[in-house]
Amino acid sequence: MNINYNEKIPNNVDLSSDRKLQRALENWQPKFLDWWKELGPNQSSELNVYLRTAISVEKQGWAHFDYVKMPDYRWGIFLTPSDPSRKIDFGMHKGQPVWQEVPGEYRSELRRLIVTQGDTEPASVEQQRHLGKTCPSLYDLRNLFQVNVEEGRHLWAMVYLLQAYFGRDGREEAESLLERHSGDQDKPRILGAFNENTSDWLSFFMFTYFTDRDGKFQLASLSESAFDPLSRSCRFMLTEEAHHMFVGESGVGRIVQRTCELMNEYKTYDIREFGGIDLPTLQKYLNSHFSISTDLFGQEISTNAAIYYNTGLKGRLNEARIVDDHLLHDLSYPVFQVCEEKIVKNESPALNAINERLRDNYIADCDLGIRRWNKIIENSGHDFRFKLPHRAFNRNIGHFSKITVDPEGIIISQQEWEKRVNEWIPSESDQSFVQSLMKPVTEPGKIAGWIAPPKGKINRQSFEFEYVRFN
Ligand code: BYC
């Protein structure tokens, strides 16, 4: 079904045929807009931004680019086309047709998964709301806003599921998604990483590289769900998510590029006084964002995850491509654990290790970008190399939250940690230095001194294009 843009809420779910649901969503819409105006990008309502809007769910040509004032962005509900022959690929219902309704016995687990996913979307918009004031270029400002409106749309995707399939509870949850706020003392966002500050653009690029990548892996697992509307929502969200990770990878890559240029120009690693971010500081930001995002995969051994898998609610990455029985009752999986003051790999029941397996997939994917950033350094003639810290480093969730570990994975005392932590994660002075570079550049074709201009284009528009108009 095509997307209908004549309705108040653009959609490809035939919303007009369900008046009750349509009314419920139209009732939620002004609340969403109030939230956007209050906690979305600061002072952005009057800006004309060159944004892409989804106009179809087909792989080719799904997006349309034009200037839009963000409060007028057409947030809508888009699911990938349904496949009537789709069967459940894993768990106790393997081989049965997927569900078009929520089975009563799984209602609360499914709602919890959808609420957790939904909660992260507006949280990230809240975290990034002040960044517009210090954009390094119009190109970057536009990318920030693109990410923000699409996170807003991802919230719509989850709110649609809650309102369409969970009745009154779903409507209440949809309200709560706008009532919890990132960093709020009384009503914080659900997952740790979404209560952290994203106060500078280096943090934004690291966040879109590492934390949005958790989004990619979680959405991919949820897209395996036996609950077909959730699966189809997540599949389309993944299409948009790719751009967010591109923003992260290319953003960090451009900083590394500029850092190397300054190192070559001034023949020193210590380029802070020349307005660049030195490589050791970048490594500290990387350590911090990687470890916070690694927490987002939950406990290494998780009965929740086992239940989600066994009941068909949440699968593994690319479930159908994995060669095993897709039941996992008799299989094991290697899990890092603490044993006699050392971190070792132990075989654990595979069903309980679902979170850890996804974390492994994630870490391998994170490493690919690190290699590309290292290539930039290598091509500039320098020996420094970035490295992902050990998965046990700086953790707040799971086995490793109880111990202190250096980036190499060696267990150290709390005292040693406190002595050395500033070598590994950004100290207050590192953060103030990075913050001191954050001065807005809003002239088309101009860029801040700590980041290189992009090589690529947005919809064939070059870097010089006026991506955001201020009048
Ligand atoms: N922070 O058995 P466990 C995205 C809690 S990002 C705080 O491991 P489970 C995006 C847990 O709630 C993707 N608490 O739990 C990115 C549980 O509490 P209870 C978001 C945490 O449920 C950028 C207890 O610890 N989507 O899309 O198996 C921009 C036991 O843990 C945390 C999803 O996450 C934490 N990090 O695993 C915008 C997918 N971790 O029951 C968007 C949906 C665990 O003891 N969520 N706890 O009170 C899930 O699949 C699961 O909820 C999790 C946690 C994998 C997150």
Side-chain angles (χ1 to χ4, degrees):
M1 173 177 287
N2 286 329
I3 294 177
N4 184 345
Y5 265 94
N6 295 323
E7 290 186 39
K8 242 177 161 176
I9 302 167
N11 69 89
N12 70 346
V13 293
D14 198 15
L15 194 55
S16 58
S17 70
D18 186 341
R19 298 308 296 253
K20 194 167 164 221
L21 174 61
Q22 188 175 30
R23 265 202 308 278
L25 284 163
E26 285 180 3
N27 197 10
W28 187 80
Q29 190 176 36
K31 296 176 190 162
F32 168 81
L33 282 172
D34 286 347
W35 165 81
W36 178 269
K37 284 177 195 153
E38 196 193 333
L39 288 172
N42 200 4
Q43 296 180 352
S44 65
S45 294
E46 292 308 313
L47 307 182
N48 277 298
V49 189
Y50 189 70
L51 292 177
R52 77 174 175 190
T53 304
I55 48 165
S56 131
V57 290
E58 304 305 324
K59 281 208 171 64
Q60 301 301 323
W62 61 273
H64 171 74
F65 288 77
D66 208 346
Y67 286 99
V68 182
K69 284 192 173 157
M70 282 190 285
D72 301 334
Y73 187 80
R74 303 302 311 277
W75 284 284
I77 299 160
F78 316 128
L79 275 62
T80 54
S82 95
D83 168 5
S85 65
R86 188 173 164 240
K87 299 271 192 304
I88 302 171
D89 277 326
F90 60 94
M92 62 200 271
H93 303 293
K94 186 177 152 222
Q96 296 170 10
V98 290
W99 316 316
Q100 300 307 328
E101 294 295 331
V102 177
E105 63 272 40
Y106 305 143
R107 196 180 156 86
S108 73
E109 282 86 0
L110 201 46
R111 192 182 61 209
R112 180 186 157 124
L113 283 171
I114 294 171
V115 166
T116 307
Q117 179 63 49
D119 192 70
T120 63
E121 315 289 0
S124 68
V125 177
E126 293 169 353
Q127 287 172 296
Q128 295 161 12
R129 69 181 302 256
H130 296 297
L131 290 174
K133 279 192 280 183
T134 56
C135 62
S137 72
L138 283 188
Y139 168 93
D140 290 295
L141 184 60
R142 177 258 166 220
N143 280 348
L144 166 73
F145 290 155
Q146 184 71 59
V147 169
N148 291 160
V149 291
E150 285 173 355
E151 300 302 7
R153 206 204 66 71
H154 292 180
L155 169 62
W156 270 94
M158 293 301 115
V159 163
Y160 162 71
L161 295 175
L162 289 169
Q163 300 221 358
Y165 296 96
F166 293 87
R168 193 171 162 183
D169 304 356
R171 288 195 291 280
E172 283 170 12
E173 293 285 10
E175 306 271 315
S176 301
L177 286 169
L178 299 176
E179 284 162 8
R180 286 185 292 270
H181 298 313
S182 177
D184 192 304
Q185 290 288 325
D186 302 322
K187 287 188 172 177
R189 291 295 176 183
I190 297 172
L191 299 175
F194 294 90
N195 288 304
E196 300 281 330
N197 245 334
T198 310
S199 50
D200 60 75
W201 280 76
L202 172 57
S203 301
F204 170 65
F205 291 130
M206 290 287 179
F207 182 96
T208 39
Y209 186 78
F210 288 109
T211 310
D212 278 78
R213 193 168 304 274
D214 168 52
K216 166 180 157 183
F217 283 83
Q218 297 294 347
L219 290 173
S221 306
L222 292 173
S223 74
E224 302 289 342
S225 181
F227 179 47
D228 202 37
L230 173 61
S231 162
R232 291 168 53 211
S233 291
C234 292
R235 281 172 209 269
F236 188 65
M237 289 161 77
L238 280 166
T239 320
E240 292 162 317
E241 201 65 42
H243 174 258
H244 307 183
M245 280 171 298
F246 158 79
V247 168
E249 182 176 335
S250 60
V252 176
R254 289 161 51 211
I255 300 175
V256 176
Q257 177 69 43
R258 181 64 186 146
T259 298
C260 292
E261 286 165 10
L262 289 168
M263 281 174 9
N264 285 345
E265 190 177 338
Y266 293 101
K267 311 256 172 300
T268 171
Y269 260 47
D270 194 7
I271 48 145
R272 281 193 181 193
E273 61 176 301
F274 307 110
I277 309 177
D278 51 295
L279 296 173
T281 301
L282 294 177
Q283 175 72 56
K284 289 193 215 178
Y285 274 77
L286 185 163
N287 290 347
S288 168
H289 284 266
F290 171 74
S291 53
I292 291 169
S293 305
T294 308
D295 271 341
L296 290 170
F297 292 83
Q299 311 272 348
E300 290 79 8
I301 301 294
S302 164
T303 43
N304 288 341
I307 293 169
Y308 300 149
Y309 186 85
N310 200 31
T311 52
L313 304 184
K314 184 180 174 193
R316 294 171 295 176
L317 180 71
N318 296 326
E319 185 67 47
R321 286 195 224 150
I322 302 174
V323 183
D324 62 20
D325 64 5
H326 303 274
L327 299 173
L328 310 186
H329 296 305
D330 305 317
L331 299 178
S332 66
Y333 189 82
V335 175
F336 283 92
Q337 278 158 351
V338 187
C339 184
E340 293 175 4
E341 305 288 300
K342 280 211 173 93
I343 297 172
V344 292
K345 257 187 187 179
N346 273 338
E347 288 296 317
S348 301
L351 199 51
N352 292 311
I354 296 280
N355 285 345
E356 188 65 356
R357 183 183 177 117
L358 193 62
R359 189 172 3 247
D360 282 340
N361 297 141
Y362 167 78
I363 293 175
D365 202 46
C366 286
D367 206 37
L368 298 177
I370 307 287
R371 288 192 214 172
R372 285 193 278 268
W373 298 335
N374 280 338
K375 202 83 204 143
I376 301 173
I377 307 177
E378 191 184 335
N379 291 344
S380 308
H382 298 283
D383 294 334
F384 187 100
R385 295 289 179 267
F386 294 120
K387 201 172 164 204
L388 287 179
H390 194 279
R391 73 181 66 211
F393 173 77
N394 193 33
R395 293 287 303 280
N396 282 305
I397 299 285
H399 308 320
F400 305 124
S401 58
K402 298 177 197 75
I403 55 172
T404 36
V405 170
D406 76 4
E408 299 300 322
I410 311 289
I411 300 179
I412 54 172
S413 67
Q414 181 66 29
Q415 217 179 2
E416 172 90 359
W417 169 265
E418 275 157 27
K419 213 165 86 196
R420 301 194 59 192
V421 62
N422 286 346
E423 291 171 35
W424 299 325
I425 52 181
S427 63
E428 274 181 29
S429 96
D430 294 326
Q431 292 176 47
S432 346
F433 167 69
V434 170
Q435 198 63 52
S436 75
L437 297 177
M438 300 295 125
K439 304 266 162 41
V441 177
T442 54
E443 221 178 299
K446 294 273 159 55
I447 186 137
W450 51 270
I451 183 167
K455 292 207 177 80
K457 299 180 172 185
I458 299 282
N459 193 36
R460 295 189 294 278
Q461 307 291 358
S462 69
F463 176 63
E464 287 72 29
F465 183 71
E466 191 177 10
Y467 286 102
V468 181
R469 291 187 179 148
F470 288 80
N471 46 36

